[in-house]
Amino acid sequence: YIMYLNNLPVGQIRTNIKNFVGKIDYSVDADFRGKGFGYIIIKKALAILKKENLKKISAVVKKNNINSIKIFKKLKFNELKNKKENNIKTFEITLKNY
């Protein structure tokens, strides 16, 4: 999905789905970062994915991407422990509780 503001593309989000579990990958154009669009695009995607009967959604974020980490925490994603990867954080949410 692509998010537009006044006919300008603001960002995009996609979900790879396997066994009723989705993995989110999103980005916001550099000119629109820090304005809440990441939160909006993920929240809208969660509403759509919940209707598609997905069980869980996960996301992988680099540890230095503080804004994305804040967004996933604000949306009530749980942070999972990463045993092998020191430079990433993994988040997950169960959609039936969302």
Side-chain angles (χ1 to χ4, degrees):
Y1 297 98
I2 300 173
M3 182 178 184
Y4 290 91
L5 178 67
N6 298 327
N7 294 323
L8 293 172
V10 171
Q12 61 83 26
I13 190 165
R14 67 177 181 191
T15 307
N16 296 322
I17 300 169
K18 185 176 181 181
N19 298 325
F20 296 99
V21 176
K23 184 175 180 183
I24 283 181
D25 182 14
Y26 84 103
S27 66
V28 175
D29 185 276
D31 292 337
F32 294 97
R33 291 183 186 153
K35 299 177 180 167
F37 292 113
Y39 176 84
I40 293 168
I41 199 168
I42 294 170
K43 187 168 176 123
K44 287 184 178 275
L46 291 175
I48 292 167
L49 295 169
K50 184 174 183 176
K51 292 177 184 176
E52 294 183 13
N53 295 321
L54 292 185
K55 295 177 182 176
K56 292 182 182 179
I57 299 293
S58 67
V60 176
V61 180
K62 291 181 182 177
K63 280 189 176 179
N64 64 353
N65 190 340
I66 304 302
N67 290 333
S68 283
I69 291 168
K70 287 180 183 178
I71 289 169
F72 287 111
K73 286 182 176 181
K74 185 175 180 180
L75 288 166
K76 308 292 186 211
F77 276 70
N78 297 311
E79 186 177 341
L80 305 178
K81 300 287 182 194
N82 289 322
K83 295 179 181 176
K84 295 182 180 179
E85 297 286 337
N86 291 330
N87 63 338
I88 64 167
K89 290 181 177 266
T90 303
F91 294 90
E92 184 177 85
I93 193 167
T94 301
L95 286 179
K96 77 173 190 174
N97 298 329
Y98 181 75

